[in-house]
Amino acid sequence: MVGLVSALLLPIPAEAMNEALWPPGKAGAVSLTYDDGLDSQLDLAVPALDRFGFKATFFLTFDNIKRRLDEWAALAKQGHELANHTVTHPCNLEPFSAASYRRRELAPMARWLDRADPREAVRSFAYPCDVTNFGAGDANRQEARFDRLLSRMGIAAARTSEGEPNRPTTALRRPHRLQALAVGFDATDFAAVDAYLDRAVTQGYWAILVFHDLAAVPSAAGQTGLAMHAEILKAIADKPLWCAPMASVFDWIRRRA
């Protein structure tokens, strides 16, 4: 009996947990996210994704996409996720109340997304400039205020940055604080990105990568070169990682909690 009890108390091997959570043959997950709705993402990122058969999440800022609305809307029909990144991308939250932020920044973008991508069951959000200090009070009060606002908008998951791959149980407990690695900011070389992806595989966690502008030859902070972008996509294809949009992975975890 002692032996049986001891065996029951042993931790479940990570491999067994992975097999139970992720699709067959996958040890972890990765979501490719692209911020701001930039032209280079339509022109350069989407063709690269197509070559690997990957679907991504595009966090759109309306002021940046309004010249090419039809092209962005077409991505939803191709299986990509279109998600909310506000109307004007404000990096300073002091001028806003919860009501004005919802009215001016979240709701107009949400209405366009509902028309462009009505099939999306889970709505997600990325914080512009990674700013989350919404309103008065300490960090906990600000976080709770932002959480309530996002929940009232029907936004189930929200992404910050600067963090390790997400433990699935933590993602469920704090769905509006999903961590990510911003390529070009948090990681400026392929080795750092590759190590981050390997940690997701080893731990059975969920990696989220953030891209901004793409260029043939990077010339500004935050830009990712096409060669490095392609190298990252190939690394993902070669690893036992399930690559899917952010909302899809979050919904998968939630349904199997």
Side-chain angles (χ1 to χ4, degrees):
M1 178 63 71
V2 173
L4 175 60
V5 171
S6 299
L8 291 174
L9 292 176
L10 288 174
I12 301 172
E15 294 80 2
M17 294 177 65
N18 298 349
E19 290 174 4
L21 177 60
W22 304 118
K26 303 301 181 183
V30 59
S31 293
L32 301 166
T33 68
Y34 296 81
D35 281 14
D36 304 338
L38 304 175
D39 287 344
S40 66
Q41 295 165 6
L42 278 176
D43 299 334
L44 302 175
V46 172
L49 293 167
D50 288 345
R51 286 193 286 274
F52 287 89
F54 290 159
K55 304 303 178 185
T57 298
F58 292 89
F59 286 107
L60 303 180
T61 299
F62 191 81
D63 279 0
N64 291 339
I65 68 170
K66 56 189 177 185
R67 294 183 302 102
R68 304 176 70 176
L69 289 178
D70 290 344
E71 293 175 80
W72 285 108
L75 293 186
K77 297 180 176 63
Q78 298 169 23
H80 298 286
E81 177 193 3
L82 306 183
N84 202 323
H85 202 41
T86 72
V87 172
T88 68
H89 200 280
C91 292
N92 178 14
L93 298 179
E94 288 184 4
F96 295 97
S97 65
S100 65
Y101 192 80
R102 174 175 180 161
R103 182 179 67 253
R104 292 159 51 185
E105 294 294 339
L106 293 178
M109 190 74 240
R111 287 193 292 270
W112 184 83
L113 290 169
D114 285 342
R115 294 193 298 271
D117 192 6
R119 63 170 179 78
E120 195 65 63
V122 175
R123 291 296 183 191
S124 54
F125 176 75
Y127 301 92
C129 302
D130 210 22
V131 175
T132 59
N133 57 333
F134 193 67
D138 60 21
N140 289 332
R141 288 174 179 262
Q142 292 172 330
E143 179 177 321
R145 187 178 295 113
F146 219 142
D147 286 351
R148 287 195 299 272
L149 175 59
L150 295 178
S151 296
R152 288 168 183 164
M153 288 294 302
I155 293 171
R159 194 215 72 210
T160 61
S161 63
E162 298 183 15
E164 289 295 296
N166 297 276
R167 184 186 183 101
T169 52
T170 304
L172 291 176
R173 191 173 69 252
R174 304 189 72 202
H176 292 148
R177 290 295 180 274
L178 299 178
Q179 299 182 147
L181 184 75
V183 180
F185 290 105
D186 304 332
T188 57
D189 57 42
F190 171 74
V193 178
D194 196 47
Y196 171 79
L197 295 172
D198 283 340
R199 288 196 291 278
V201 172
T202 302
Q203 297 169 322
Y205 286 4
W206 175 20
I208 302 176
L209 294 178
V210 184
F211 297 94
H212 292 82
D213 203 14
L214 271 66
V217 179
S219 60
Q223 279 189 335
T224 302
L226 291 183
M228 181 171 169
H229 184 253
E231 193 173 15
I232 292 170
L233 298 187
K234 184 179 185 306
I236 291 171
D238 290 342
K239 298 179 191 295
L241 285 170
W242 174 41
C243 183
M246 203 175 94
S248 299
V249 177
F250 180 75
D251 195 42
W252 178 278
I253 295 170
R254 186 170 63 175
R255 290 175 182 275
R256 287 157 181 78

